[in-house]
């Protein structure tokens, strides 16, 4: 196909041009698909790495705009961290194919699949893609459980040490510092949410399930009838009834989800719509994963208190 060849040639030219500006002062080029993974890589890599995220903080990680500039970023990567479990299946594979970078090919030491190290929840017993479910390999939104993040930080430290053995000790030290801070913050977040154990919440997409499991909350409904499928009037009517009968009065909505739909449901259920990004950088002063989690947990505790 002529158009594909032209596109390929354009990309090749971009990659050649970019080669001149390769890695900054010997730093390892680490690329993460999403800002949460990038933030953890920065904690572990410290000043030995230069970290970029492919998705914007306000972008749906299932549907990232596959801009050609991302191919250049992937071509220069020494290490690629993906969430996995098909989170990026809709956009990452074609970008990787065009980037032609053996260092981050599947199975290479420079490739990290975060989902492989953790206990995945909601793995369907039968695979049925016919209904458009985007969680066919289990729920891929596991980075809001600190226990998972601790495991993934360890995997990242191992891979970074393989890619840059001279900095292995530094990564080990950074990991230890990160893990102890994480333990302290986890206890703090548990303390903030403990008074609301068993509280019922509603989410737009099924993206806060791991947070709910860790902090003993109960997601009773999603506004989407299935992950990735837009809310229908019939489904929303069921959700409204369920919220009224079970007393759920907080709806969590991420920046890229439909706030108007959530507000309409909230008006009929005396609920509050809580802006709840799970990517660092979506809101002011939430540039790191820790800051994002603080913002999320504090906001959730305040909303649950207000609507208790
Ligand atoms: Zn999802």
């Amino acid at each position: 196909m002529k158009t594909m060849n032209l596109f390929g040639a354009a990309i090749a030219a971009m990659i050649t041009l970019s080669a001149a500006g390769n890695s900054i002062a010997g730093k390892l080029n680490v690329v993460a698909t999403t800002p949460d993974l990038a933030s953890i890589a920065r904690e572990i890599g410290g000043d030995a790495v230069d970290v970029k995220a492919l998705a914007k903080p306000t972008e749906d990680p299932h549907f990232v705009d596959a801009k050609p500039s991302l191919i250049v970023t992937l071509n220069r990567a020494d290490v690629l961290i993906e969430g996995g479990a098909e989170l990026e299946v809709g956009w990452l594979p074609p970008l990787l194919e065009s980037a032609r970078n053996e260092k981050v090919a599947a199975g290479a030491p420079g490739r990290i699949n975060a989902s492989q190290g953790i206990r995945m929840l909601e793995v369907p017993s039968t695979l049925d893609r016919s209904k458009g479910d985007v969680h066919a390999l289990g729920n891929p939104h596991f980075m809001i459980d600190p226990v998972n993040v601790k495991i993934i930080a360890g995997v990242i430290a191992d891979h970074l040490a393989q890619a840059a053995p001279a900095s292995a000790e530094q990564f080990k030290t950074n990991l230890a510092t990160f893990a102890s801070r994480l333990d302290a913050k986890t206890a703090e977040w548990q303390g903030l949410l403990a008074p609301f154990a068993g509280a019922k919440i509603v989410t737009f997409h099924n993206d806060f399930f791991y947070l709910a499991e860790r902090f003993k909350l109960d997601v009773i409904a999603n506004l989407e009838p299935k992950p990735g499928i837009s809310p229908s009037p019939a489904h929303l009517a069921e959700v409204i009834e369920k919220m009224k009968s079970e007393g759920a009065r907080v709806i969590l909505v991420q920046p890229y989800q439909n706030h108007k739909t959530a507000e309409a449901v909230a008006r009929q259920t005396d609920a509050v719509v809580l802006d709840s990004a799970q990517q660092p950088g979506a809101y002011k002063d939430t540039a790191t994963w820790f800051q994002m989690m603080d913002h999320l947990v504090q906001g959730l505790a305040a909303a649950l208190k207000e609507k208790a």
Side-chain angles (χ1 to χ4, degrees), residues 60 62-63 131-136 140-141 204-207 222-231 256-257:
D60 184 339
H62 289 292
F63 305 103
K131 296 184 182 74
D133 190 337
V134 293
H135 292 177
H141 307 285
F204 189 96
H205 180 70
N206 200 11
D207 40 11
N222 306 133
L223 301 190
E224 290 179 342
K226 272 188 165 291
I229 306 296
S230 293
Y256 48 84
Q257 294 166 347

Side-chain angles (χ1 to χ4, degrees), residues 109-216:
R111 180 73 168 270
I112 303 173
N113 182 326
S115 70
Q116 286 176 354
I118 63 149
R119 187 171 69 90
M120 293 290 292
L121 300 179
E122 300 192 303
V123 180
S125 49
T126 55
L127 197 55
D128 181 8
R129 292 172 201 274
S130 65
K131 296 184 182 74
D133 190 337
V134 293
H135 292 177
L137 294 184
N139 191 320
H141 307 285
F142 44 73
M143 288 290 289
I144 42 172
D145 176 355
V147 173
N148 289 339
V149 169
K150 196 173 182 177
I151 294 167
I152 291 157
V155 174
I156 290 173
D158 284 347
H159 282 260
L160 293 185
Q162 286 180 57
S167 302
E169 278 307 308
Q170 187 188 339
F171 300 143
K172 209 171 154 184
T173 307
N174 292 347
L175 177 63
T177 306
F178 176 78
S180 64
R181 185 168 175 217
L182 183 69
D183 289 345
K185 290 302 287 188
T186 304
E188 184 187 321
W189 296 326
Q190 263 160 347
L192 279 170
L193 290 174
F196 311 105
K200 295 174 195 300
I201 58 172
V202 170
T203 60
F204 189 96
H205 180 70
N206 200 11
D207 40 11
F208 289 92
F209 189 76
Y210 290 83
L211 183 89
E213 286 288 297
R214 181 59 54 201
F215 297 104
K216 300 186 169 59

Side-chain angles (χ1 to χ4, degrees), residues 263-283:
E263 295 286 356
V265 172
R267 275 195 296 276
Q268 296 185 57
T269 53
D270 187 28
V272 63
V273 175
L274 182 65
D275 289 327
S276 320
Q278 53 183 244
Q279 293 296 336
Y283 307 128

Side-chain angles (χ1 to χ4, degrees), residues 28-31 77-82 101-114 116 154-165:
L28 208 56
N29 275 326
V30 178
V31 175
D78 297 308
V79 174
L80 169 64
I81 311 169
E82 64 176 323
N101 181 348
E102 286 300 316
K103 281 192 220 171
V104 298
R111 180 73 168 270
I112 303 173
N113 182 326
Q116 286 176 354
V155 174
I156 290 173
D158 284 347
H159 282 260
L160 293 185
Q162 286 180 57

Side-chain angles (χ1 to χ4, degrees), residues 70-116:
L70 302 185
I71 297 169
V72 179
T73 303
L74 282 166
N75 173 262
R76 294 169 53 183
D78 297 308
V79 174
L80 169 64
I81 311 169
E82 64 176 323
E86 297 200 341
L87 178 69
E88 304 94 342
V89 74
W91 55 276
L92 185 62
L95 290 174
L96 273 172
E97 195 174 319
S98 300
R100 298 175 191 223
N101 181 348
E102 286 300 316
K103 281 192 220 171
V104 298
R111 180 73 168 270
I112 303 173
N113 182 326
S115 70
Q116 286 176 354

